[in-house]
Amino acid sequence: AVVVGAGPAGLTAAIFAAERGARVALLEMGDRIGGAMLINRGQLSGAGTALQAERGIVDTPQDHYDDAMRLSRGTANAEFLDLAVRLQGPFIDWLMDNGFEMEVDMPRTIHGHEAYAVERTYWGREDGISILKVLAPMTDRHVAAGRIDLLLNTEAQTLLTENGRVTGLETRDGRRLFGASVVLASGGYAANPELFARLHEGATLWSGSYEHSTGKGIEMAEAVGGAVVLAETFL
């Protein structure tokens, strides 16, 4: 397998693929892993967690779904939201089982957006770095065992196809990597004003994004026939 991007999505994809026996090439255009976790708060929301149960908070994925639909005024994508709320609570429990250093008195209510009906937001003592401190040792173990080839300072350039199927990619320096699966986990595009303007004509970009959020994965996918869907919901 080939995974593009060593942020939260790319690291988890590579880790779980390696745990299931895959050999993974993990590309990162920066000089260290972590992606947006290096700069963001790392806030998570999830229902039905062990931490909620300890505090007597009754919450379910359906409650989370209904609350998120309320906050979005019904504009959230139902299929994506349903998948997310079913996985988020177990993911938070998984982080805790693997040594995540949670901030005290979690979960809490936050007011960066209209508040949830119950306390279901969490973050670590070191914000996004707390998540990275769980994922990095797992990645390191797979690298040491030869299951993950970590390629830092390596930029994916072009997807390779055969008979209409993506079979691998070529890097900016001309290296070709092939895999049964190619995962584009290279993040967003808020560091690419030109791409933002094309996808959101007339909108203003207020970006505090990670510097490598260039949208390269989107551009690579578009070049071989892919398309951005639901772009109108990104703002």
Side-chain angles (χ1 to χ4, degrees):
V2 181
V3 178
V4 182
L11 289 176
T12 50
I15 289 166
F16 280 89
E19 288 180 350
R20 285 155 178 77
R23 176 76 180 271
V24 183
L26 176 59
L27 283 67
E28 169 56 47
M29 68 185 299
D31 59 5
R32 61 184 297 196
I33 66 172
M37 290 184 289
L38 299 171
I39 65 170
N40 66 23
R41 290 294 311 277
Q43 289 180 337
L44 306 162
S45 60
T49 66
L51 286 172
Q52 285 182 317
E54 289 174 7
R55 295 182 53 193
I57 299 170
V58 178
D59 197 15
T60 68
Q62 185 62 52
D63 293 332
H64 194 177
Y65 178 94
D66 293 341
D67 221 3
M69 273 297 184
R70 173 182 65 84
L71 296 178
S72 73
R73 308 295 189 265
T75 62
N77 180 274
E79 183 179 359
F80 292 165
L81 179 59
D82 179 68
L83 177 63
V85 298
R86 285 190 284 109
L87 294 177
Q88 285 172 214
F91 176 67
I92 291 166
D93 286 342
W94 178 83
L95 285 175
M96 293 297 293
D97 290 342
N98 284 279
F100 182 73
E101 295 181 348
M102 187 72 76
E103 183 58 277
V104 298
D105 300 327
M106 291 290 158
R108 300 183 195 174
T109 297
I110 63 168
H111 298 277
H113 55 68
E114 186 178 344
Y116 280 127
V118 300
E119 297 91 340
R120 65 164 69 96
T121 302
Y122 315 73
W123 57 91
R125 296 176 186 173
E126 297 181 67
D127 299 328
I129 296 295
S130 294
I131 302 174
L132 182 58
K133 283 187 171 182
V134 174
L135 300 181
M138 294 180 178
T139 304
D140 291 342
R141 287 195 294 271
H142 289 301
V143 170
R147 291 183 288 267
I148 293 178
D149 295 322
L150 177 60
L151 306 174
L152 298 175
N153 299 305
T154 302
E155 183 177 351
Q157 181 71 19
T158 308
L159 290 174
L160 303 174
T161 62
E162 183 176 344
N163 299 323
R165 177 177 174 273
V166 175
T167 57
L169 59 81
E170 183 171 345
T171 65
R172 180 175 288 277
D173 60 7
R175 183 174 181 180
R176 290 192 164 203
L177 302 168
F178 296 91
S181 300
V182 177
V183 179
L184 298 177
S186 49
Y189 49 89
N192 186 336
E194 292 78 15
L195 180 57
F196 182 91
R198 176 165 67 81
L199 293 175
H200 305 288
E201 184 176 356
T204 300
L205 173 60
W206 300 95
S207 177
S209 72
Y210 184 52
E211 61 180 320
H212 295 309
S213 296
T214 63
K216 185 62 180 181
I218 292 173
E219 294 175 332
M220 290 167 56
E222 288 182 326
V224 295
V228 176
V229 298
L230 303 175
E232 68 278 4
T233 69
F234 292 177
L235 298 177

